[in-house]
């Protein structure tokens, strides 16, 4: 009896600390205990059933550094992934001393966020922590922070040790002394219209300016010796690219409005008024992605390699030609496409590509029509194979007919075609590949091949307007994730 009384008294005087991974809500915010016998917690999200007024004051979100629960004080040390993603209730964000890390997409898509302050204790900021904050203009780092700075009121996050700009916004400048721009540093900065790169810059990371749809021009400084993949993807208004004449790694020869790797004559990135210059040997993956200003493309005789996905989602591209002296590629019979001559594989098309039987195309290559297919795709009987993501993400395609001679379709071949309503699949196809029509939200009718025996994961997932799917009895097993449960599955003999 005495022992029981002692336990009760002890629990009142010395309340127990929550164990590791335990979650609780305090002041409208969700927290998780990091380790046993430790008063450190991470902020994992919001309790959307409670008012935001507990943690947002005068349009400012003050992330708490200390909270008290049942007479126990907890130190808030991090803001976890997606914690405030999509929160619209604040325009200013303050991260006080005590917070040491801000994880991936912690404040992503906070579309009303205008300014952010990071304290001196912050030791890690994920480069995509503020992704999609489209009107963000001001970023400030405490001057006593040992890891990061925002030197010269540049409105960006710079790693001190290597002088790497890891996170920018529409109000950013890139100050002199910065050596690298990190991957995704300006991802989705839709309101970034002009930016001057410093003479100290040496490297630009993958997709550094992806989605900067207001950016109209860029000049690459002389010291830049490394440019990543899809650096200017989805920069739809980009119309001018130039390279400093003193750069020994890259050039923009003949005012081509593109970046050429000098030693290999590889086209790395292009703008809307790009010309593939004579002497260019290769066009790299992602060289032009989502550049709406690109309306015509001519492939000179010198080009011997075009990567799959080199030109994607250039929705206004309407004219494609290949020099008649090119030994690797052709645009036979004015087909408005690039065809690999020795295989008759179509590797690049556009909304006005002619797919007539007489052209003799046998394969549609990977990503060949990504984001830019014709409205009606009636494939000729010469086609035997359709590559991975060949027609994916098209804004135009409403109907596709796949002939009986096709025996192989690559994964995600027609994924995310928002206007696609009808698909007819020939009897030569026996497998519907992974993600074939995933997220085709307006797809209503799919005529299945009579000899179909396998439907792979996600082939019809996200087809929310499809009410009924008729599947031949030859399909022995339907994977649970072939659809998301919205259509009624009916087998027919």
């Amino acid at each position: 009896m005495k022992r029981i009384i002692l336990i009760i008294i002890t629990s009142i005087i010395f309340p127990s600390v929550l164990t590791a991974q335990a979650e609780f809500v305090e002041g409208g915010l969700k927290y998780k205990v990091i380790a046993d016998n430790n008063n450190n917690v991470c902020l994992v999200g919001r309790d959307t059933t409670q008012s935001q007024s507990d943690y947002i004051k005068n349009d400012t979100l003050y992330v708490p550094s200390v909270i008290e629960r049942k007479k126990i004080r907890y130190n808030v040390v991090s803001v976890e992934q997606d914690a405030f993603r999509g929160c619209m209730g604040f325009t200013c964000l303050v991260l006080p001393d005590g917070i040491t890390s801000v994880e991936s997409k912690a404040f992503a898509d906070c579309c009303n966020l205008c300014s952010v302050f990071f304290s001196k204790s912050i030791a890690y900021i994920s480069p995509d922590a503020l992704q999609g904050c489209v009107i963000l203009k001001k970023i400030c780092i405490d001057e006593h922070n040992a890891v990061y700075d925002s030197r010269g009121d540049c409105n960006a996050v710079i790693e001190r040790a290597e002088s790497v700009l890891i996170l920018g916004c529409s109000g950013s400048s890139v100050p002199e002394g910065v050596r690298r721009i990190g991957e995704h540093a300006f991802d989705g900065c839709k309101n970034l219209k002009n930016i001057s790169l410093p003479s100290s810059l040496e490297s630009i990371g993958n997709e550094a300016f992806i989605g900067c749809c207001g950016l109209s021009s860029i000049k690459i400084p002389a010291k830049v010796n490394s440019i990543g993949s899809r650096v200017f993807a989805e920069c739809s208004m980009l119309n001018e690219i130039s390279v400093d004449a003193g750069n020994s790694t890259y050039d923009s020869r003949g005012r081509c409005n593109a970046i050429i790797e000098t030693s290999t004559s590889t086209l790395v990135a292009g703008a809307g008024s790009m010309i593939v210059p004579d002497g260019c040997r290769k066009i790299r993956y992602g060289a032009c992605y989502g550049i709406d200003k690109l309306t015509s493309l001519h492939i000179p005789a010198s080009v011997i390699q075009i990567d799959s996905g080199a030109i994607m989602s250039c929705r206004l591209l309407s004219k494609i030609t290949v020099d008649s002296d090119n030994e690797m590629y052709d645009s036979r019979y004015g087909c408005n496409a690039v065809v690999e001559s020795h295989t008759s594989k179509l590797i690049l098309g556009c909304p006005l590509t002619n797919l007539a039987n007489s052209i003799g195309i046998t394969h549609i290559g990977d990503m060949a029509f990504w984001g830019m297919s014709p409205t009606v795709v009636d494939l000729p009987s010469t086609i035997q194979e359709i590559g991975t993501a060949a027609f994916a993400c098209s804004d135009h395609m409403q109907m596709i007919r796949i002939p009986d001679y096709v025996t192989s379709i690559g994964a995600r071949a027609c994924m995310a075609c928002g206007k696609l309503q009808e698909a007819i699949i020939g009897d030569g196809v026996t497998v519907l590949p992974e993600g074939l029509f995933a997220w085709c939200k307006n797809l209503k009718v799919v005529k299945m091949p009579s000899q179909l025996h396998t439907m792979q994961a996600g082939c019809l997932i996200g087809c929310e307007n499809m009410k009924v799917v008729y599947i031949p009895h030859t399909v022995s097993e339907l994977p649970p994730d072939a659809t998301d449960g919205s259509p009624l599955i009916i087998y027919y003999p």
Side-chain angles (χ1 to χ4, degrees), residues 137-197:
K137 292 184 177 180
K138 188 170 181 61
I139 299 174
C140 183
I141 310 285
D142 189 292
E143 63 180 353
H144 299 295
N145 189 296
V147 180
Y148 302 108
D149 68 70
S150 52
R151 64 192 69 168
D153 294 324
C154 64
N155 289 316
V157 178
I158 299 171
E159 286 184 352
R160 289 181 182 272
E162 300 292 333
S163 288
V164 182
L165 191 153
I166 67 160
L167 196 160
C169 66
S170 60
S172 296
S173 59
V174 185
E176 194 63 47
V178 168
R179 297 175 57 203
R180 289 192 288 132
I181 296 176
E183 295 185 6
H184 295 272
F186 290 91
D187 190 339
C189 293
K190 295 182 179 180
N191 293 316
L192 181 69
K193 292 180 170 54
N194 298 291
I195 195 157
S196 179
L197 303 181

Side-chain angles (χ1 to χ4, degrees), residues 84-92 107-115 130-137 188 190-191:
F84 288 89
R85 186 170 190 171
C87 183
M88 307 291 187
F90 57 95
T91 60
C92 300
F107 299 96
D109 303 320
C110 294
C111 295
N112 291 322
L113 183 60
C114 296
S115 65
L130 301 171
Q131 188 180 78
C133 298
V134 293
I135 64 172
L136 180 62
K137 292 184 177 180
K190 295 182 179 180
N191 293 316

Side-chain angles (χ1 to χ4, degrees), residues 222-223 243-250:
K223 290 184 180 179
V243 179
D244 190 286
N247 192 301
S248 59
T249 305
Y250 301 103

Side-chain angles (χ1 to χ4, degrees), residues 199-271:
S199 61
S200 57
L201 191 67
E202 300 172 6
S203 172
I204 304 174
N206 294 334
E207 300 185 344
F209 292 93
I210 188 172
C212 295
C213 54
L215 188 65
S216 59
S217 64
I218 196 86
K219 183 173 183 178
I220 307 301
K223 290 184 180 179
V224 172
N225 55 38
S226 175
I227 297 176
S229 175
R230 304 204 323 169
V231 167
F232 302 110
E234 299 174 17
C235 293
S236 56
M237 300 304 292
L238 185 62
N239 201 44
E240 184 179 347
I241 294 179
S242 61
V243 179
D244 190 286
N247 192 301
S248 59
T249 305
Y250 301 103
D251 64 77
S252 51
R253 61 192 69 169
R255 297 182 180 179
C256 60
N257 263 322
I259 302 171
I260 311 293
E261 187 178 58
T262 305
S263 62
T264 63
S265 290
T266 297
L267 195 151
V268 171

